[in-house]
Amino acid sequence: MATAIIPGIASASNADKGSEPSFPGLIIREKEPVNFEFPFPMLSEAITPNNQFFIRTHFPIPKLQAKEWKMTIGGHVNKEITLTYDELRALPAKKVMATLECAGNGRANLAPKVKGLLWEQGAVGNAEWTGVPLAVLLEKAGIKEGAVEIILEGADKGEVSEEPKSPGAIHFARSLPLTKAMQAEVILAYQMNGKDLSPEHGYPVRAIIPGWYGMASVKWLTKILAVNKPFEGYWQTLEYAYWKRTDEQPTLTAVTEVQVKAEIARPALSEVIPAGKIYRVHGAAWCGESEIVKVELSFDEGKTWQPAKLLGKSVRFAWRLWEYNWEVPLGQQRHKLMSRATDSNGITQPMQHDKDRRTYMVNKIVTVEVEAQ
């Protein structure tokens, strides 16, 4: 597993935290366009620092300047409006803590090998975002009767040369049902953890769509369009889409809500741990519109499960850290650990990946094998 410090982003140092190890750098999944993963075993706190947050791009990062940036809200509205960066920041702000996960996170755990970026655990992060509720701007424009969706379009643009190929150069664009777009926590963010967005994370303005996979939180936002029929763009129907069966007829449907999931941060795969001692197993769990109510661990390949301790308070749309003090058996041997989460709707993380999900929404239980000695 190669690691690298991202050019243009300062490396983190934990020297002020005592004996904790220094941050080793993000994992390179692809250099151009930039796609870097957070090394999940480094998880130590609820908020992911900006320079540890995973980066997902489809095309080269647009070179935008706040003083020149404008955003248009149009389409099926009473009055098309255009906002400058200063005008957006002058509006009342809202802070939202939200976990973003790439829809392909965990894809490296699928077998046989699949196409796409082979994310392991770390295409996920939790941050506090500051911005203006999308609903406020839609109300200013005045949504016409009959509007059903809101399209969000970014400044990033390019041609997809691999199958399914795009019809020439296209922008990255996704849509939301009007009901989701009007949700109070859906914001147009210009800050991340109290700092202005960096280019890699969508500067100057990006959408934050809590509870949905990261592809919905469009970066480098420049255009918002209300429409009176479902959007069928490339990133809505060909990519970031899965097979949904209605009357046994599979139909490609847009990926939306995050699926319930728990991941083990430590011990890491193949870590050597002391036998006959207490080891703090810990990680994070998250889901979409619901809340995490239970995390369990298994040390016998899923035959029995032990309850982990949930840490902190439950914050809707944010992950929940958890821990379990494991009495590691005496003797040199290998152990297989599993974690699973259950949400407030009673949905528990599955053992297997549903093939109808293609290479998205990968939330199957993963085995972490370690050695005790």
Side-chain angles (χ1 to χ4, degrees):
M1 181 186 295
T3 62
I5 298 295
I6 302 174
I9 300 181
S11 62
S13 171
N14 288 330
D16 59 339
K17 296 184 181 180
S19 60
E20 292 185 19
S22 296
F23 175 58
L26 297 181
I27 302 164
I28 296 174
R29 292 295 169 217
E30 190 174 28
K31 282 191 173 181
E32 187 58 50
V34 178
N35 288 288
F36 295 155
E37 176 173 344
F38 167 55
F40 201 75
M42 295 298 298
L43 177 72
S44 62
E45 53 192 339
I47 295 291
T48 308
N50 293 13
N51 59 353
Q52 295 185 6
F53 209 96
F54 80 98
I55 297 172
R56 176 68 172 112
T57 66
H58 299 86
F59 305 118
I61 295 171
K63 296 179 180 179
L64 302 176
Q65 298 297 323
K67 62 182 179 181
E68 299 169 354
W69 177 87
K70 290 183 179 180
M71 181 180 65
T72 302
I73 302 174
H76 208 62
V77 297
N78 294 323
K79 177 187 176 183
E80 181 174 293
I81 61 175
T82 299
L83 286 172
T84 66
Y85 185 71
D86 288 342
E87 287 170 339
L88 180 70
R89 293 197 62 150
L91 295 171
K94 182 181 180 71
K95 291 186 177 181
V96 175
M97 187 182 294
T99 296
L100 296 188
E101 181 183 21
C102 178
N105 191 34
R107 190 177 282 145
N109 295 313
L110 299 181
K113 180 182 176 181
V114 296
K115 79 177 188 74
L117 288 168
L118 296 181
W119 302 109
E120 292 184 357
Q121 295 177 282
V124 61
N126 186 58
E128 184 181 66
W129 310 91
T130 303
V132 177
L134 176 56
V136 170
L137 301 178
L138 295 178
E139 287 167 0
K140 282 182 177 290
I143 301 298
K144 288 183 178 180
E145 187 176 346
V148 294
E149 290 189 354
I150 303 297
I151 301 172
L152 307 175
E153 183 180 296
D156 49 330
K157 183 180 181 181
E159 186 169 348
V160 181
S161 57
E162 297 179 352
E163 293 293 345
K165 296 180 180 179
S166 63
I170 57 173
H171 284 272
F172 187 83
R174 284 278 305 192
S175 73
L176 307 170
L178 182 58
T179 51
K180 179 66 177 178
M182 298 299 287
Q183 194 174 53
E185 291 83 2
V186 172
I187 63 172
L188 306 187
Y190 46 79
Q191 286 192 331
M192 176 182 183
N193 293 332
K195 297 180 180 179
D196 290 352
L197 294 171
S198 67
E200 293 83 0
H201 292 298
Y203 172 85
V205 176
R206 69 172 298 169
I208 295 296
I209 316 299
W212 283 28
Y213 282 104
M215 78 281 134
S217 294
V218 176
K219 296 191 280 189
W220 312 292
L221 196 60
T222 56
K223 187 184 295 185
I224 297 174
L225 201 65
V227 292
N228 59 2
K229 60 182 180 180
F231 177 54
E232 296 180 341
Y234 179 91
W235 306 102
Q236 196 84 8
T237 55
L238 293 178
E239 293 287 16
Y240 296 117
Y242 69 104
W243 294 110
K244 186 174 182 179
R245 296 177 185 268
T246 304
D247 298 327
E248 296 303 312
Q249 295 298 320
T251 304
L252 278 177
T253 304
V255 170
T256 56
E257 188 176 351
V258 172
Q259 302 299 299
V260 63
K261 188 175 192 177
E263 286 190 352
I264 297 171
R266 297 289 299 275
L269 180 65
S270 295
E271 183 173 337
V272 178
I273 61 176
K277 303 285 187 180
I278 299 293
Y279 186 99
R280 178 179 176 262
V281 182
H282 71 97
W286 57 92
C287 53
E289 302 281 347
S290 54
E291 294 183 62
I292 294 296
V293 296
K294 182 168 61 176
V295 172
E296 299 167 288
L297 289 171
S298 177
F299 303 92
D300 55 12
E301 300 186 63
K303 296 183 181 69
T304 61
W305 294 88
Q306 310 300 322
K309 179 183 178 182
L310 298 177
L311 304 176
K313 295 181 180 179
S314 178
V315 178
R316 192 181 181 201
F317 302 123
W319 65 20
R320 190 85 182 267
L321 301 188
W322 55 264
E323 66 180 10
Y324 180 88
N325 290 324
W326 176 33
E327 295 184 17
V328 183
L330 287 167
Q332 183 172 349
Q333 56 184 307
R334 297 192 71 81
H335 298 277
K336 295 180 178 180
L337 283 64
M338 295 177 175
S339 65
R340 71 181 184 187
T342 300
D343 71 6
S344 52
N345 292 325
I347 299 173
T348 298
Q349 198 172 340
M351 289 292 290
Q352 301 296 329
H353 178 65
D354 183 348
K355 291 184 178 179
D356 279 356
R357 295 181 181 181
R358 303 167 78 196
T359 66
Y360 302 114
M361 301 185 287
V362 184
N363 71 328
K364 71 169 188 168
I365 293 169
V366 174
T367 300
V368 176
E369 192 166 346
V370 300
E371 184 174 345
Q373 63 181 34

